[in-house]
Amino acid sequence: MAGDDFRIDTDQVGAQAAKFGELAGELTTGLTDLVAGLSAIGDAWGEDEFGERFAANYVDKADDALTNIATAVQMFQFLEKGTEVTANTFGALDADFTSVLTTITSRLDGTA
């Protein structure tokens, strides 16, 4: 890998954090609307045998889907924070490393 450069554009990485936050917000809004819509409809399948069978196959799966969407919201919120921390950490490390290299170079050159 001699000559290959490893680079992280901290501005680009940091810019992605907001996108994860936007996704979390959109999913939250969608989930809220979905729950409100389902609540407004209620148990529309009825209480007869067909309705009971439908409910037996539907309710748990629907609840699981709502839980999975809420989990996705949390994941995108986590990614937003993690991406932001990563960008900030690499930015700080880059600045610190640059400062150290400048100091070493100055001492080696006798300009310090």
Side-chain angles (χ1 to χ4, degrees):
M1 293 187 68
D4 289 344
D5 292 330
F6 176 76
R7 297 181 190 270
I8 293 180
D9 185 332
T10 55
D11 292 333
Q12 283 287 357
V13 173
Q16 302 313 305
K19 292 179 182 179
F20 289 124
E22 289 171 14
L23 284 172
E26 290 174 15
L27 275 176
T28 298
T29 299
L31 179 60
T32 300
D33 292 346
L34 178 59
V35 169
L38 292 173
S39 294
I41 294 170
D43 297 344
W45 44 84
E47 296 180 14
D48 60 358
E49 182 182 345
F50 177 77
E52 288 176 3
R53 286 185 183 183
F54 178 84
N57 286 315
Y58 166 77
V59 173
D60 288 341
K61 291 175 185 170
D63 288 342
D64 288 346
L66 297 174
T67 299
N68 289 339
I69 294 169
T71 301
V73 167
Q74 292 174 344
M75 177 196 67
F76 284 120
Q77 290 169 335
F78 175 80
L79 287 171
E80 176 184 25
K81 291 174 187 166
T83 303
E84 189 174 295
V85 167
T86 299
N88 292 338
T89 301
F90 272 96
L93 286 171
D94 187 48
D96 291 346
F97 191 63
T98 299
S99 176
V100 168
L101 286 178
T102 301
T103 301
I104 291 171
T105 302
S106 297
R107 289 185 182 170
L108 290 174
D109 292 343
T111 58

